[in-house]
């Protein structure tokens, strides 16, 4: 699971770099466009689409690793419980997360199949949308597996009771 999480973390980092590049390039191009009263138009067509697609990739790719390392939570109630009860509640949480992630993966895969069959493309760039949706489905499947791994007593987040 850790190796898969490293791969998806790397994909998330690449998507973040793309997002930063698109945003920085768009800001610089807009500033140049405004400074020259439109004489120099270096605006990137589809920059908003690129930002949205890279954000989608970044978020979904980060989820499996986050599930393995520990998701954000508030421990006000859990800290007052005995360790065995905390452990059982945490396992229950990961079972619920696995079920939700499995449902999400199934819905995303169905959407990707529909996008492929219907030939859905992005508005400005004309890119097929199904690969992005299929990647999100894959990442949701990996999130489900990571949550199941944690529910079954796999690797625990640092500082959390085992």
């Amino acid at each position: 699971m850790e190796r898969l999480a490293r791969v998806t973390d790397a994909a998330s980092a690449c998507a973040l770099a793309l997002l930063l590049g698109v945003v920085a390039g768009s800001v610089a191009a807009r500033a140049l466009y405004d400074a020259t009263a439109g004489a120099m138009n270096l605006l990137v067509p589809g920059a908003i689409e690129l930002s949205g697609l890279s954000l989608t990739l970044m978020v979904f790719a980060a989820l499996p690793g986050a599930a393995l390392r520990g998701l954000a939570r508030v421990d006000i109630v859990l800290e007052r419980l005995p360790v065995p009860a905390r452990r059982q509640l945490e396992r229950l949480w990961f079972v619920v997360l696995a079920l939700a992630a499995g449902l999400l993966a199934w819905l995303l895969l169905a959407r990707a199949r529909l996008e492929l069959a219907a030939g859905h493309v992005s508005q400005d760039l004309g890119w097929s949308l199904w690969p992005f949706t299929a990647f999100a489905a894959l990442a949701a499947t990996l999130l489900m597996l990571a949550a199941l791994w944690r529910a079954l007593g796999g690797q625990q987040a640092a500082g959390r009771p085992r």
Side-chain angles (χ1 to χ4, degrees), residues 42-128:
L42 299 177
L43 297 173
V44 177
I48 292 174
E49 281 181 3
L50 281 171
S51 297
L53 293 172
S54 60
L55 182 63
T56 299
L57 294 175
M58 180 188 71
V59 169
F60 274 96
L63 289 175
L68 285 179
R69 288 185 292 281
L71 300 165
R73 67 182 197 190
V74 179
D75 288 336
I76 294 171
V77 174
L78 286 179
E79 290 300 320
R80 298 178 192 272
L81 295 174
V83 172
R86 252 188 283 171
R87 186 180 311 127
Q88 292 307 316
L89 279 175
E90 189 161 295
R91 284 189 172 150
L92 176 64
W93 156 249
F94 281 111
V95 167
V96 170
L97 178 60
L99 290 172
L103 177 61
L104 181 61
W106 179 65
L107 292 170
L108 285 167
L109 185 58
R111 176 68 188 195
R113 293 176 73 186
L114 178 123
E115 290 171 348
L116 176 61
H120 289 175
V121 296
S122 64
Q123 182 176 338
D124 294 332
L125 298 173
W127 290 359
S128 291

